[in-house]
Amino acid sequence: MTERQASRWAIGWTAFAAILMIMMGFWWIISGFVALLDSEFYVVTLRWIFQFDVSVWGWIHLILGIVILASGCGLFLGAVWARIVGVILAALAGLLAFAWLPYYPVWAIIFIAISVAVIWALTVHGRDIAEVV
């Protein structure tokens, strides 16, 4: 039997996903703190289906950011739980970012793009980094 060697390219994508998750976690934490400390910072333009108080969004962003940050750090350790949690949280973060569009559209689009990149990297190449670690 031949052993499959981990592709350096695949490991790089998984590390990239981990770094993106750490960065996204920091961004969500910062945006959560901003929403909690200054509820008038985010401008609500149109009425959308998802209408929450800005402080509620602040708590959601803060908690989700902490969990995403921890999962991103766990990916560097090769933890399977971090991959599973990472995919679930990236999907949830993408959905929450979609709901965040009326409040801050530029950040929301960035979060959606990062969430898609994280899901792709973890589902296609997530196992390879565990073989090296």
Side-chain angles (χ1 to χ4, degrees), residues 34-108:
V34 168
L36 290 174
L37 298 176
D38 184 11
S39 63
E40 296 178 4
F41 180 79
Y42 295 109
V43 178
V44 180
T45 56
L46 300 173
R47 299 289 176 203
W48 291 68
I49 294 173
F50 303 107
Q51 295 178 4
F52 295 110
D53 184 39
V54 175
S55 63
V56 172
W57 277 115
W59 282 109
I60 290 171
H61 279 77
L62 182 65
I63 293 168
L64 189 62
I66 291 168
V67 175
I68 291 173
L69 179 71
S71 180
C73 292
L75 283 174
F76 282 116
L77 301 174
V80 175
W81 67 267
R83 283 182 23 224
I84 294 169
V85 170
V87 170
I88 292 169
L89 288 178
L92 181 61
L95 291 173
L96 286 175
F98 180 75
W100 186 252
L101 273 170
Y103 296 99
Y104 218 75
V106 174
W107 279 104

Side-chain angles (χ1 to χ4, degrees), residues 109-126:
I109 292 169
I110 291 170
F111 289 149
I112 291 169
I114 290 173
S115 296
V116 170
V118 166
I119 291 169
W120 179 81
L122 294 180
T123 55
V124 175
H125 303 292

